Amino acid sequence: EAEAQQTAPSANLEQPAVDLQQAQASTDDLEPQLKYERLGADVKSILQDASATCLCLSEKVLALGTSTGSIHILDYSGNEVKRFNLHSKAVCNISFDDKAEYVASCCGENYVSISGLYTDETNKYTFKRPITVVAVEPRYTSRKTREFVTGDVRGRLKLSSQGWLGRSDHLIHQGEGAIRAVTWHGSTLVWANDVGVKVYDTNSHQFIGSIARPKGGRFADCYDCRLYLHEGRDLYVAWPDCIKVAKISSSTDPVSGATTKKFNTAYHVPTDYFTMVGWYTQQHNAAP
């Protein structure tokens, strides 16, 4: 009995052999965790007296909208490059052009502002109804027409452009609830309303397709749709509990030279968690 009592502890210290290949396989099966880095520098002081209400990214800089109506242009370390005090209410939507030389913004009132990042140019455009979203034309810097799109609370989506006689507004769509989100790449324009998502070609001024809003989704009334259009070809649509992916393809008629776009929903991914979509590069990863 004494010998058994003496040998028992040493037996408990023995460890089973570890299969390194099995351990590596179990590690590979784990889902990757989100890696992030908190913005520092000037961001902390900016958010001492205000809260962040929206964020817009570009390859060069990002724009941070706040509850006090200011827009802060930051580098990816959080250093403030420029500041715009254009709104009296919380900023609700921001948009860059492709070159990140102009930024458009709105705050839920009946106007939008478009400002140059490298000039002192600022233009204010007034409308009859409160504006919920704005998207500046991707080639805004090089186009004389200076086009931009606005959506209002009554569900009216307008394409505005500049001409010899001043601004002209072209009504693209209306009657399906407030415009919740909008994104623009090349000639492909996408927006979301209470019914679903619409896709439109600004060159031909024709609708390409649509995606219906899921019925009976969780928290549908609490969270808006999120859109991401990758290079004008791949459309990612995120609702609170599902993601839909669609493909936009182009074909050119060999005789007339006319280009036709086709729209197809590729797949539907239900989720058990809140979803957002964004763009990723080796340097930056963010979700709007």
Side-chain angles (χ1 to χ4, degrees):
E1 293 180 355
E3 291 180 357
Q5 291 176 356
Q6 291 177 357
T7 57
S10 60
N12 290 336
L13 294 175
E14 295 181 2
Q15 299 295 330
V18 178
D19 189 335
L20 296 180
Q21 292 183 350
Q22 183 178 0
Q24 181 64 37
S26 62
T27 303
D28 293 340
D29 291 338
L30 295 176
E31 293 186 4
Q33 295 181 350
L34 174 65
K35 294 182 179 180
Y36 69 93
E37 181 179 349
R38 188 181 299 275
L39 284 173
D42 297 321
V43 174
K44 184 177 181 180
S45 61
I46 291 172
L47 299 181
Q48 283 184 342
D49 300 320
S51 59
T53 56
C54 58
L55 184 68
C56 184
L57 310 181
S58 74
E59 292 287 349
K60 298 178 181 178
V61 293
L62 59 86
L64 174 66
T66 69
S67 58
T68 58
S70 60
I71 299 171
H72 305 266
I73 307 300
L74 311 168
D75 64 18
Y76 275 89
S77 296
N79 298 299
E80 185 177 81
V81 178
K82 196 168 186 176
R83 179 184 301 190
F84 299 100
N85 297 308
L86 304 171
H87 304 286
S88 58
K89 297 173 60 177
V91 182
C92 60
N93 197 229
I94 303 175
S95 170
F96 281 119
D97 67 315
D98 273 354
K99 295 183 177 181
E101 294 184 7
Y102 284 87
V103 60
S105 59
C106 63
C107 66
E109 295 190 334
N110 66 330
Y111 68 91
V112 301
S113 294
I114 301 179
S115 303
L117 269 64
Y118 305 104
T119 67
D120 294 329
E121 178 185 358
T122 294
N123 295 299
K124 181 178 179 180
Y125 302 98
T126 305
F127 297 84
K128 293 182 179 180
R129 295 181 177 88
I131 302 299
T132 54
V133 295
V134 60
V136 67
E137 208 268 346
R139 298 165 295 175
Y140 188 89
T141 302
S142 59
R143 296 289 294 272
K144 294 181 179 181
T145 53
R146 296 295 180 92
E147 293 181 329
F148 62 95
V149 164
T150 56
D152 63 33
V153 294
R154 297 291 296 274
R156 296 165 64 91
L157 186 81
K158 291 182 178 181
L159 174 64
S160 301
S161 60
Q162 301 298 312
W164 291 105
L165 301 177
R167 192 187 87 195
S168 62
D169 298 327
H170 171 65
L171 180 63
I172 296 178
H173 188 72
Q174 65 176 335
E176 293 184 347
I179 308 298
R180 306 293 183 179
V182 64
T183 184
W184 194 349
H185 190 285
S187 64
T188 304
L189 177 67
V190 184
W191 68 93
N193 55 31
D194 292 341
V195 175
V197 174
K198 307 289 184 183
V199 185
Y200 182 84
D201 184 74
T202 56
N203 285 341
S204 63
H205 296 285
Q206 293 182 348
F207 285 93
I208 302 173
S210 63
I211 300 176
R213 181 176 180 173
K215 295 182 179 180
R218 295 180 301 142
F219 309 104
D221 297 331
C222 302
Y223 298 94
D224 292 334
C225 174
R226 295 290 187 269
L227 303 172
Y228 172 58
L229 182 60
H230 178 66
E231 296 184 352
R233 299 191 306 265
D234 302 313
L235 174 62
Y236 298 84
V237 182
W239 279 282
D241 56 359
C242 76
I243 299 174
K244 289 190 176 183
V245 181
K247 300 291 184 179
I248 303 169
S249 59
S250 301
S251 61
T252 303
D253 189 293
V255 178
S256 64
T259 301
T260 303
K261 290 186 177 181
K262 296 182 179 180
F263 178 83
N264 294 294
T265 302
Y267 50 89
H268 170 98
V269 183
T271 67
D272 295 326
Y273 45 82
F274 297 118
T275 59
M276 302 184 75
V277 288
W279 59 269
Y280 174 84
T281 68
Q282 292 182 350
Q283 292 80 22
H284 315 303
N285 183 14

